[in-house]
Amino acid sequence: MSKTAANPPLSPLLSGADPSRWKALVFIALAQLMVVLDATIVNIALPSAQTDLGISDGNRQWVITAYALAFGGLLLFGGRIADKWGRKNAFIVGLIGFALASALGGAAQGEAMMLGARALQGAFGALLAPAALSLLAVMFTDAKERAKAFGIYGAIAGGGGAVGLILGGFLTEYLNWRWTFFVNIPFAVIAAVGAWMIIREPAGGRNRARLDVPGVILSTTGLVALVYGFTRAESAGWSDSLTVGMFVASVVLLASFVFVESRVKSPLLPLRVLLERNRGGVYLSLGLAVIAMFGLFLFLTYYLQIVKGFSPVKTGFAFLPMIAGMILGSTQIGARLMTRVPPRLLMGPGFMVAASGMLLLTQLEVGSSYPALILPAQLLLGLGMGTAFMPAMSLATYGVNPADAGVASAMVNTSQQVGGAIGTALLNTIAASATTAYLTDHAAEAAAGGAGAKLIQAQAMVEGYASAIWWAVGILVASSLIALTLINTGRPGAGGAVAGSGEGADDEMKIPVIAH
């Protein structure tokens, strides 16, 4: 349904919009910031925590992996639970559980307690993240308001990881590593109390169908196998028998999941959500872009701390230009243009601008200047990613049946989580291979010892980072091309719903949008 530009937009009361939705956005954004922060904040604290708790080098990766496996594996289940319970209920339970798990992690006295806490954080995060995004999807249906709300959400989703590096550096350096866990508690309490008092979920949006238990089991085990396969490949290699076994298992399990979903009456993930052309394009392009982004965080952190000798706090502040670029791209470019141009004309060029920033970083050398090279590269990356992430987040849930909003939101997070696991493993492997090749070529100089040998080591590391970043450039270009090719919807508010152009479109609810 659409109206002519001469007609004024409906008032919130007449349109059924929640008058408290902007207040609710504050608490939803706070919860999302907490989840995104946790993806990077613990990384900086890990060396200190490892020493205090006596965690072996071999088991150190499990502090990160335990969270990633639980979060990535349970996202689809968490999204469907949000659809069944109600997003507000799932949101509050997720916040409380995440806070308790964080308290357990901060108070950990040994390896087992820490790993258990991280797995619990991941499990409750898998409930919280899709509930937060789906609340936005069902509360903001007016095109212009939706653009503003998702602009804020997109900036947090994109820049929160870099904020985590700053906060993690501060807490680790000036307090201790335990505060990287305890800091989640006030975030969660404020967001939960605010959500309880302010959020009023629209009626009629719950999915009352029976839970698809086979789908839950197949999707969870398949995603866990996939994420663990990439995580293990980073440390054990791609030819390791268990790594290969995990990949084979994930293919079999996820193929079985798709088969089951096409047959059962009430699927965990209705294939219409996944196969609708525009949403499919968003999931694929966003997942690829996150591969490049996670690689950048990893290599730039190593470069600044190991090669340039930055402290954790200084390293965190060095990421500020990227955060500023993401906020500007998301709230000032993406949000302002989303109701004026088709999403593909924001996402495609946005990923290409990010690729140009990544291209600058392929010129990294041991003595590279931060102001002359790294700062402008980060600004371009932030602007591009912010501009692209904002319409991607909105389009991924736009026009979907309210009963499927939770699982559609979970797919956004799943594509990001799997993309992050792939990015860390794939790009780290490429970097390690290039570093080894450089050291082999300069073996005689490295064997000489002294300052020259240290310089060769540093040059080898930078050569590895640059090689991997070249791959990240190609991945971002691919993201841009996918967005331009697959996403064919018009601009929101142009008189039609975003959904409805692909397979199963008749099953989708077309959200009426007023043209302005």
Side-chain angles (χ1 to χ4, degrees):
M1 179 180 72
S2 64
K3 294 187 181 294
T4 65
N7 292 332
L10 296 176
S11 69
L13 182 62
L14 292 175
S15 66
D18 184 351
S20 299
R21 62 197 177 282
W22 290 107
K23 293 179 183 178
L25 176 62
V26 174
F27 302 110
I28 294 170
L30 186 63
Q32 175 64 14
L33 178 61
M34 180 185 72
V35 173
V36 176
L37 282 175
D38 204 70
T40 53
I41 195 171
V42 175
N43 290 13
I44 286 183
L46 185 53
S48 301
Q50 180 186 358
T51 301
D52 281 1
L53 300 179
I55 301 174
S56 68
D57 287 342
N59 288 339
R60 175 180 58 191
Q61 64 163 337
W62 281 100
V63 177
I64 307 300
T65 304
Y67 178 88
L69 293 181
F71 187 73
L74 293 171
L75 270 168
L76 288 177
F77 182 41
R80 185 51 88 198
I81 289 295
D83 289 332
K84 288 182 70 66
W85 283 0
R87 288 107 198 158
K88 176 178 176 177
N89 294 336
F91 185 72
I92 293 171
V93 170
L95 282 166
I96 294 170
F98 201 93
L100 292 173
S102 298
L104 188 65
Q109 299 301 308
E111 181 178 311
M113 190 172 174
M114 169 60 76
L115 298 183
R118 289 292 284 163
L120 280 174
Q121 277 188 311
F124 283 107
L127 179 63
L128 175 60
L133 182 55
S134 58
L135 276 171
L136 281 191
V138 298
M139 293 178 75
F140 290 90
T141 56
D142 175 80
K144 286 190 174 180
E145 288 192 347
R146 187 179 178 89
K148 293 176 184 176
F150 276 87
I152 295 168
Y153 187 90
I156 291 171
V163 175
L165 296 172
I166 297 174
L167 189 57
F170 256 110
L171 295 173
T172 303
E173 197 163 322
Y174 296 116
L175 293 172
N176 67 44
W177 65 267
R178 295 184 185 276
W179 283 96
T180 61
F181 288 89
F182 291 146
V183 73
N184 290 326
I185 298 172
F187 278 107
V189 169
I190 293 169
V193 172
W196 180 262
M197 296 175 64
I198 298 295
I199 292 177
R200 286 167 180 78
E201 187 178 349
R206 293 196 190 183
N207 189 325
R208 303 289 185 179
R210 289 182 60 186
L211 187 63
D212 172 20
V213 176
V216 170
I217 295 171
L218 289 169
S219 67
T220 301
T221 53
L223 287 171
V224 165
L226 183 63
V227 173
Y228 182 59
F230 281 110
T231 303
R232 183 172 175 82
E234 183 186 356
S235 58
W238 296 91
S239 60
D240 173 73
S241 58
L242 184 54
T243 301
V244 174
M246 286 294 105
F247 285 137
V248 171
S250 71
V251 169
V252 172
L253 289 165
L254 292 177
S256 301
F257 170 67
V258 171
F259 177 79
V260 168
E261 298 309 275
S262 68
R263 295 292 188 272
V264 298
K265 183 178 179 181
S266 302
L268 174 69
L269 176 62
L271 296 184
R272 63 179 178 271
V273 172
L274 191 61
L275 296 178
E276 198 280 317
R277 176 173 178 160
N278 294 286
R279 275 195 293 276
V282 167
Y283 298 147
L284 185 55
S285 61
L286 201 58
L288 285 172
V290 170
I291 292 176
M293 282 297 293
F294 265 65
L296 175 74
F297 281 142
L298 182 70
F299 299 131
L300 211 48
T301 301
Y302 285 164
Y303 174 79
L304 293 171
Q305 288 197 15
I306 297 174
V307 178
K308 305 296 281 187
F310 283 21
S311 68
V313 171
K314 191 175 180 180
T315 299
F317 275 108
F319 281 95
L320 277 178
M322 188 187 301
I323 300 171
M326 283 184 174
I327 293 172
L328 186 64
S330 187
T331 61
Q332 300 304 310
I333 300 175
R336 289 178 183 274
L337 293 180
M338 195 179 106
T339 56
R340 301 178 185 179
V341 300
R344 68 180 181 278
L345 297 184
L346 288 173
M347 291 179 64
F351 287 136
M352 202 63 80
V353 170
S356 69
M358 199 74 82
L359 186 63
L360 281 179
L361 289 175
T362 61
Q363 307 306 307
L364 269 183
E365 296 176 354
V366 173
S368 291
S369 165
Y370 177 85
L373 179 68
I374 299 172
L375 189 150
Q378 286 197 60
L379 283 173
L380 286 170
L381 274 159
L383 279 171
M385 285 296 196
T387 300
F389 267 48
M390 187 264 144
M393 291 289 181
S394 178
L395 188 58
T397 54
Y398 196 73
V400 75
N401 189 315
D404 295 330
V407 76
S409 302
M411 272 303 301
V412 179
N413 289 283
T414 300
S415 67
Q416 290 178 294
Q417 185 67 23
V418 172
I422 295 171
T424 303
L426 177 63
L427 298 181
N428 206 34
T429 302
I430 293 168
S433 298
T435 297
T436 301
Y438 188 92
L439 287 172
T440 301
D441 291 343
H442 297 79
E445 298 164 73
K454 290 183 179 179
L455 179 60
I456 291 296
Q457 288 283 350
Q459 288 172 336
M461 281 190 285
V462 175
E463 179 72 18
Y465 304 155
S467 297
I469 290 170
W470 270 112
W471 279 79
V473 172
I475 291 168
L476 282 173
V477 170
S479 293
S480 176
L481 294 176
I482 288 168
L484 290 169
T485 303
L486 288 184
I487 297 171
N488 65 353
T489 182
R491 64 182 177 87
V498 170
S501 59
E503 183 178 344
D506 292 340
D507 298 324
E508 301 281 2
M509 183 190 78
K510 280 82 171 177
I511 296 178
V513 183
I514 300 166
H516 296 277

